[in-house]
Amino acid sequence: MTYQTIVLEQPAELPVTLTEVKTHVRMPLDLDDDDALIMSYVASATKYVERRCAQRFVTQTLRTTFEGWTPRIKSVYLPWAPVASVVRMANVVDGSEVDVDLDAYGVTLGVPGAIARRVFGCVPVDAVVVDYVVGYGLAASVPAEVKLPVMILAGHWYARREPVITGTIVSECPMHVNDLIGGLRWGAYPA
């Protein structure tokens, strides 16, 4: 089974504010020459960390289309977390979407989110479309352990704007960021 996800409703804001990043990199808050640049690094760092841990941090609505969903498939994990709600499901038959009753499926919210069939013996479909809301809420609700790797990466990229700086040790991503992201991935449970 393959899937494709698109964003139906973009997040209202980034998970980290300009003030949080400036405080993290010890930049005076009244210095505003590079504010747009810093926020572009925050946007890029957010996408990087979200992809690495299969999460979306600020509330947004996604649509995932699962192709090759056969009657043998009883449940599937939604590819993005934390799942707050499932808004709509539809079967695609001969190119047409037919909405299905959400009560026919069990929905698991959180990390990872999942859907499972409650009714079996379903007719074969070409695909299943799932619209769902993911995220922790607005930026103020995003946990500190999620914000930290975003701030570290944005600060790292701000301080090192070139891919190679002569006379220094070259690193692609600060090692501790990989450790922080690793703790956010599915299946990573606190000790």
Side-chain angles (χ1 to χ4, degrees):
M1 178 168 51
T2 61
Y3 67 88
Q4 179 180 357
T5 301
I6 61 170
V7 178
L8 295 178
E9 185 178 327
Q10 295 287 340
E13 58 189 348
L14 291 169
V16 176
T17 66
L18 180 61
T19 301
E20 288 172 319
V21 176
K22 283 184 165 185
T23 302
H24 175 76
V25 299
R26 298 184 180 130
M27 177 184 279
L29 296 178
D30 59 348
L31 182 63
D32 60 2
D33 294 347
D34 288 341
D35 286 359
L37 178 64
I38 292 168
M39 290 312 290
S40 72
Y41 290 141
V42 169
S44 294
T46 298
K47 286 183 181 179
Y48 178 84
V49 176
E50 284 180 339
R51 278 193 310 267
R52 290 282 309 275
C53 65
Q55 292 191 37
R56 299 291 177 105
F57 304 141
V58 177
T59 299
Q60 55 198 275
T61 304
L62 306 177
R63 171 174 288 163
T64 297
T65 302
F66 296 95
E67 295 183 9
W69 185 299
T70 66
R72 291 181 300 155
I73 298 172
K74 295 178 179 32
S75 66
V76 66
Y77 288 111
L78 295 170
W80 296 97
V83 176
S85 65
V86 173
V87 179
R88 173 184 174 261
M89 289 183 62
N91 290 332
V92 179
V93 179
D94 296 328
S96 298
E97 288 186 12
V98 178
D99 285 352
V100 298
D101 183 6
L102 289 176
D103 291 335
Y105 290 84
V107 177
T108 303
L109 304 179
V111 179
I115 52 174
R117 255 191 223 140
R118 289 187 177 150
V119 178
F120 298 102
C122 302
V123 296
V125 296
D126 300 328
V128 173
V129 176
V130 183
D131 295 350
Y132 55 109
V133 178
V134 294
Y136 294 100
L138 295 176
S141 301
V142 176
E145 64 269 15
V146 171
K147 290 183 175 199
L148 185 58
V150 173
M151 290 188 297
I152 291 170
L153 273 179
H156 175 77
W157 292 337
Y158 178 74
R160 293 161 190 84
R161 299 178 196 188
E162 301 299 326
V164 177
I165 301 171
T166 305
T168 65
I169 298 172
V170 177
S171 66
E172 293 179 13
C173 176
M175 188 182 328
H176 61 291
V177 171
N178 288 326
D179 292 338
L180 291 168
I181 293 170
L184 298 173
R185 294 176 64 195
W186 294 3
Y189 300 101

